[in-house]
């Protein structure tokens, strides 16, 4: 495309910009070999968030496109797809959101202790591919053995058990149904 540059992460941006605006900190990538021999590629923004993404076993298998669904990273290179795992900082797994809305086989999203942001933006803890979900749609917080959800002023709102929660902080219980945009989740507690 004339007038555009493609960064190392596969984003196109205008040539007059100094770096890719979608990569949150430029398009500089870092490679580190872990003890198991796999090569880890991650951007400066991921390094700041202490998130590492294993893209491939060797640099030759590095993919040009990636899509994040929950904690899995789906990498595409030609017709092949490789699934990697995002490594998080040391937070305890405390629950899940399960949905069949956009994948008939089902998709699960991990909830960790502390803050868990949900939205369409790739920098959210839970990234959902639903055009009716806002960039930063909602927040699930786990503290003192209680789960609470809050809508983050989203465009289409958040519903818990078919009740619109508006700006309330609502406690979640095992089996609650959460709807955001066109996506319906079932909330499950791990503990």
């Amino acid at each position: 495309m004339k007038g555009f540059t493609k960064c190392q992460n596969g984003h196109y941006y205008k040539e007059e910009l100094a770096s890719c605006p979608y990569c949150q900190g430029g398009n500089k990538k870092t490679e580190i070999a872990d003890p198991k021999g796999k090569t880890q590629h991650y951007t400066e923004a991921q390094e700041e968030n202490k998130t590492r993404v294993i893209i491939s076993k060797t640099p030759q298998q590095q993919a040009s496109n990636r899509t994040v669904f929950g904690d899995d990273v789906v990498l595409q290179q030609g017709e092949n797809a490789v699934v990697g795992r995002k490594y998080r900082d040391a937070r305890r797994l405390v629950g899940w959101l399960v949905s069949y809305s956009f994948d008939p086989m089902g998709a699960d999203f991990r909830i960790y202790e502390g803050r868990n942001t949900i939205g369409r933006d790739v920098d959210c803890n839970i990234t959902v591919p639903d055009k009716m979900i806002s960039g930063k749609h909602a927040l699930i917080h786990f503290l003192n053995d209680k789960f609470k959800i809050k809508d983050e002023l989203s465009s289409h709102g958040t519903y818990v058990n078919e009740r619109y929660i508006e700006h309330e902080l609502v406690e979640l219980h095992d089996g609650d149904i959460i709807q955001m945009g066109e996506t319906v989740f079932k909330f499950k507690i791990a503990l």
Side-chain angles (χ1 to χ4, degrees):
M1 292 188 293
K2 191 174 182 180
F4 288 89
T5 301
K6 184 176 180 181
C7 76
Q8 294 176 351
N9 294 326
H11 302 122
Y12 287 95
Y13 62 95
K14 292 188 176 186
E15 288 179 344
E16 62 262 11
L17 297 175
S19 64
C20 178
Y22 305 106
C23 292
Q24 299 179 353
N27 56 10
K28 181 182 173 190
K29 280 193 169 184
T30 306
E31 293 184 11
I32 292 182
D34 72 4
K36 296 179 183 172
K38 295 181 181 179
T39 302
Q40 297 178 1
H41 303 267
Y42 57 98
T43 63
E44 290 173 7
Q46 290 168 328
E47 182 178 88
E48 289 173 13
N49 294 332
K50 294 186 174 21
T51 302
R52 293 185 183 168
V53 180
I54 291 185
I55 289 185
S56 60
K57 290 186 177 181
T58 64
Q60 291 80 17
Q61 296 173 338
Q62 182 178 351
S64 58
N65 284 336
R66 75 182 182 105
T67 307
V68 179
F69 293 101
D71 287 327
D72 290 333
V73 179
V74 179
L75 306 162
Q76 310 221 335
Q77 182 177 6
E79 295 182 18
N80 300 327
V82 179
V83 177
R85 176 69 56 190
K86 280 184 3 181
Y87 288 92
R88 300 209 175 262
D89 53 344
R91 294 196 299 162
R92 184 172 51 135
L93 176 70
V94 292
W96 291 273
L97 292 177
V98 180
S99 178
Y100 291 90
S101 296
F102 52 86
D103 183 353
M105 299 300 286
D108 69 317
F109 301 92
R110 295 175 180 181
I111 298 173
Y112 295 92
E113 62 185 348
R115 296 171 48 95
N116 297 271
T117 54
I118 304 166
R120 211 174 56 240
D121 288 349
V122 294
D123 61 337
C124 288
N125 299 107
I126 298 172
T127 304
V128 184
D130 180 344
K131 63 182 179 253
M132 299 290 285
I133 288 181
S134 299
K136 298 237 188 317
H137 194 97
L139 171 76
I140 293 179
H141 194 265
F142 177 77
L143 184 65
N144 298 329
D145 293 330
K146 291 189 180 191
F147 292 90
K148 296 193 177 180
I149 187 169
K150 181 179 182 241
D151 185 81
E152 294 288 294
L153 302 173
S154 64
S155 300
H156 298 285
T158 302
Y159 296 82
V160 176
N161 297 326
E162 298 182 359
R163 186 175 143 256
Y164 180 59
I165 65 170
E166 201 166 1
H167 307 297
E168 301 173 56
L169 191 62
V170 175
E171 188 171 343
L172 289 174
H173 304 283
D174 192 49
D176 281 350
I177 303 297
I178 301 167
Q179 181 171 356
M180 296 177 204
E182 297 175 343
T183 305
V184 177
F185 299 99
K186 185 165 192 172
F187 173 70
K188 296 301 291 175
I189 296 175
L191 305 173

